[in-house]
Amino acid sequence: MITNTAGTSVDVIIAGAGIVGATCAALLGRAGFSIALIEASAAEPDTDKTATDPRVLAITRASEKILRKINIWDRIAGNRIGCFREMHVWDENGHGQIHFDSAAICESTLGYIIESRLIQDSLHAALSNMDTIKWYRPARPVLLEKYDDSVVLGLDDGRRL
């Protein structure tokens, strides 16, 4: 348990609200943990959602299951999304190679190609509706103090968690 000087406590502090940090916060928040989510950047204004994001991620079916668990998959799948059914991997010398095919595992796809911003925006929308998540942004961790029964994290704006 992490307690701030005002007596408010949280179970977990996550530094960084990128895709990994936001996903972790969503999973822990859904499990009932209270989360302090620290993000260095200010909240981005609404942007043109029709513009494509050139940064894409290839995610596996396992990642799809995680995104389903936090109830954002339907929002993502309803947008610009591609899939991949096969993958060829080889070493730099061309001597070793392996081929993966979704048909070999009786699946329609191995995974998906998704715009990074689409995943990020979907995660942040889900987090904004969770009462177990408290955002601290823009803020950066600058101090960590460990005590016998607690840990205190100091932020660059003077707040202490």
Side-chain angles (χ1 to χ4, degrees):
M1 180 84 40
I2 303 162
T3 306
N4 74 12
T5 55
T8 303
S9 63
V10 294
D11 298 311
V12 179
I13 296 175
I14 298 174
I19 291 174
V20 173
T23 300
C24 184
L27 288 167
L28 291 171
R30 285 181 54 80
F33 292 95
S34 59
I35 310 295
L37 186 54
I38 315 301
E39 174 55 38
S41 64
E44 292 184 16
D46 284 334
T47 57
D48 180 8
K49 304 295 186 208
T50 62
T52 58
D53 182 356
R55 298 167 299 149
V56 296
L57 299 173
I59 69 162
T60 64
R61 298 294 301 268
S63 295
E64 173 194 354
K65 289 179 183 177
I66 292 169
L67 298 175
R68 284 186 186 278
K69 178 84 173 171
I70 55 179
N71 294 325
I72 67 166
W73 180 255
D74 289 340
R75 177 179 173 170
I76 291 170
N79 285 283
R80 293 179 299 268
I81 184 172
C83 66
F84 56 95
R85 293 180 178 85
E86 294 184 55
M87 181 183 302
H88 297 269
V89 182
W90 59 93
D91 69 12
E92 66 183 47
N93 298 321
H95 295 45
Q97 62 179 330
I98 190 167
H99 174 244
F100 299 98
D101 188 333
S102 62
I105 57 171
C106 300
E107 291 288 345
S108 60
T109 184
L110 290 176
Y112 303 92
I113 306 296
I114 306 172
E115 294 175 32
S116 178
R117 185 180 62 223
L118 177 57
I119 297 172
Q120 189 76 43
D121 289 350
S122 299
L123 283 164
H124 285 196
L127 293 176
S128 68
N129 294 323
M130 296 178 70
D131 60 0
T132 54
I133 310 270
K134 169 87 168 116
W135 283 86
Y136 293 85
R137 72 183 311 177
R140 294 176 190 268
V142 294
L143 170 73
L144 185 65
E145 298 172 337
K146 184 174 183 252
Y147 299 97
D148 290 339
D149 61 347
S150 65
V151 174
V152 175
L153 180 72
L155 302 178
D156 62 352
D157 62 5
R159 291 181 283 188
R160 293 167 65 85
L161 302 170

